[in-house]
Amino acid sequence: LGMTPVVSAEEVCCGHDLLWNGDRQSFEALARHNARLVAASGAKLLVTSCAECLRTWRRDMTPYLEAPIQILHFSELVSEYLPEMRFKGNGQHAVTFQDPCRLGRHLGVTDPPREVIQALPGTELHEMFHHGQRAICCAGGPWANCDRFAKQIQVQRLREARATGAETMVTACPK
């Protein structure tokens, strides 16, 4: 695509889990640190593959940024360039997509991941009953708990995935 990705050796976590677990002070320290790195780089575009990072950068980090920058999920970037891209591959692959909560329900990013999946040769997308804005969470949360309610949600989600007949489940959720 003619882009040169840059990853700083000083880059650290976005702080999503700190913030969601109530450690505002540590989150703010990370936010200031990361905002300084972005400002020093001169970057106009920040791309992440993590749905939680995307949500954190778009909603929680913007007050710390010196200047506005474009913040995209990797699937949003790739979907913009799909007409120019040529993927190699063969065979038939049935996949289903687990919408990450932070990507779908929080930010409304549901089409780009599907566009990328469907652009892959021989790949057929099988949607779960609850998908897109209506997707059910995987119950990973910020790993704050793993109780019987979380297990019930996980079992329900896995049953929906199995019911699609897909052989592979794809997600952009780090949990």
Side-chain angles (χ1 to χ4, degrees), residues 10-32:
E10 299 175 58
E11 182 179 318
V12 293
C13 175
C14 71
H16 172 274
D17 289 355
L18 290 170
L19 183 61
W20 283 67
N21 280 310
D23 188 351
R24 183 90 194 169
Q25 184 177 354
S26 296
F27 167 76
E28 288 176 354
L30 282 177
R32 286 190 296 275

Side-chain angles (χ1 to χ4, degrees), residues 94-98 117 124-128 160-162 164 166-171:
V95 303
T96 191
F97 182 66
Q98 162 64 28
I117 290 168
E124 185 176 325
L125 180 63
H126 294 236
E127 292 285 14
M128 288 187 249
E160 276 194 33
R162 185 171 286 134
T164 68
E167 59 200 46
T168 303
M169 181 165 54
V170 177
T171 190

Side-chain angles (χ1 to χ4, degrees), residues 3 9 23 28 38-39 42 44 46 48 68 96 111 121 132 145 147 166-167:
M3 297 179 187
D23 188 351
E28 288 176 354
V38 169
K44 303 291 183 235
L46 186 145
T48 180
T96 191
D111 292 338
N145 65 26
D147 57 20
E167 59 200 46

Side-chain angles (χ1 to χ4, degrees), residues 121-157:
T123 301
E124 185 176 325
L125 180 63
H126 294 236
E127 292 285 14
M128 288 187 249
F129 181 74
H130 294 98
H131 64 276
Q133 294 281 345
R134 296 180 48 244
I136 296 174
C137 178
C138 69
W143 286 333
N145 65 26
C146 191
D147 57 20
R148 64 186 170 105
F149 300 109
K151 286 293 176 199
Q152 287 174 336
I153 293 168
Q154 293 164 359
V155 168
Q156 179 184 356
R157 196 59 176 155

Side-chain angles (χ1 to χ4, degrees), residues 38 42-45 62 65-71:
V38 169
K44 303 291 183 235
L45 171 64
T62 52
L65 297 171
E66 292 178 19
I69 61 169
Q70 185 178 17
I71 304 167

